[in-house]
Structure formats: C-alpha cells, structure tokens
Amino acid sequence: DQNGNIHEAVVTDNDINSNKFRYIGGSYSSSLEEMLSINLYEDSNIRRPDIGFRLCASFDIGQFINNPEDEFVFVDDINNAQDDKNLGKVDYSYAISKYLVTNKQYVEFLNDNKSFVEKYQLWENMGDSLQGIYYDGQSYLCKTNMEQKPVNYLIITNILRYINWKYNNYYHGKGHGIL
C-alpha cells in the first residue's frame, strides 16, 4: 500500500461485472480500522485520490513482461493458506508487481495513446495537488517529485485499458494499442 500513501484496488471478474471493487491497505486519510480491513467501493466510475493499483499476471506472462520498471514478484506456493477472514488463499502460481503503478508508467501509457485519452476518459485533470500528472497542451508529464508515486484518480476502465496496453505492447511490440 505504498507505506500509507494510497489504498490498493483489488479487482476480480465479479467486481468488473458489478461496477464495484474492493480496496485494501491504508492511505493518508485512513482510520486504523480501515487500514486493517477489506473495503467495498460501490462505484468504480468515481475518481478517487487515495486508490491505486498493481499488475497481476499468470506466472508465464509475468516472467515474459518482467522488467526493471514493473519488478514482478513470483508467487508459486499453491498451498498458501487463507487468513482468519477466509481471504488470501491462492491455489495457483502467479506474478504480481512489487509496487503499485506509478505516475511515470501511466504517463507513458497516456502519451502512447493520446488519440484515445479524451474518447475513453483515460485521464482527467482533477485540479488537486495529490494528482501527479498534468497535460502541457502537447504531452502528459509528471509533476515535480511525483514520478514514482502511485497513479491515482483512475476509474476501473482506465485500469483495464492500461493492463491491456501493457500486455499488448510486451507480447506484440510497441504500437498495438489499448483495444
């Protein structure tokens, strides 16, 4: 959870179909109870400053796209036990990015897909000092000292399009887009 900077979105297939998702961990505005629980966010179309995300992939894909910026951790303990809330059990191998997706990584995505930004609402200026990205009229850029902070103010379709872009570019090479 980036040491309290931001919550982490946890999205499952069921969440995508219901327009809801869960988030875990603590952010700068969390109570202790919230930091220690899994919360349900009812509307995934509202942009929030305190929720970020990380990438998760099948073991094989994770090995393929592993690079210094993504830095995947491989989890292959299929006997991973659930916790006291019946959560956490994973009975298959997978790879998960060590850190949440940063403003720098999302800026690369935005600049690669400029013609789609407005159409798919990939970014919106929220006029907030916590937002780490700005548009100078030609390119998307990171604000000073915000490159390595987790990207925020995204909606669920932004996250899914970013993941699709990441997958397509690593498997098929640059220029394969987000659709």
Side-chain angles (χ1 to χ4, degrees), residues 9-26:
V10 180
V11 182
T12 66
D13 290 341
N14 291 336
D15 297 328
I16 292 167
N17 297 328
S18 70
N19 196 36
K20 300 175 183 179
F21 65 88
R22 295 167 212 339
Y23 61 92
I24 59 174

Side-chain angles (χ1 to χ4, degrees), residues 19 43-48 53 106 109-110 113-126 131 133 140 151-162 178-179:
N19 196 36
D43 188 349
S44 60
N45 290 312
I46 295 177
R47 296 174 187 274
R48 289 184 47 172
F53 71 101
Y106 201 76
F109 164 68
L110 291 173
N113 295 286
K114 281 186 206 171
S115 61
F116 296 110
V117 171
E118 190 173 318
K119 179 179 181 179
Y120 294 121
Q121 301 172 344
L122 300 177
W123 181 81
E124 184 177 329
N125 183 356
M126 301 303 289
Q131 188 174 26
I133 297 172
Y140 293 90
V151 65
N152 58 1
Y153 283 113
L154 301 179
I155 56 177
I156 193 127
T157 53
N158 301 148
I159 295 169
L160 297 174
R161 285 195 166 96
Y162 176 88
I178 60 173
L179 303 175

Side-chain angles (χ1 to χ4, degrees), residues 32-79:
L32 180 59
E33 182 180 341
E34 187 177 24
M35 283 190 230
L36 299 174
S37 61
I38 294 180
N39 302 283
L40 183 64
Y41 188 51
E42 294 292 334
D43 188 349
S44 60
N45 290 312
I46 295 177
R47 296 174 187 274
R48 289 184 47 172
D50 60 343
I51 295 181
F53 71 101
R54 72 175 83 199
L55 302 176
C56 191
S58 71
F59 198 80
D60 293 338
I61 294 171
Q63 285 182 316
F64 182 76
I65 66 173
N66 196 17
N67 68 54
E69 277 198 19
D70 293 325
E71 201 171 338
F72 277 84
V73 175
F74 298 96
V75 182
D76 60 359
D77 178 8
I78 60 172
N79 297 314

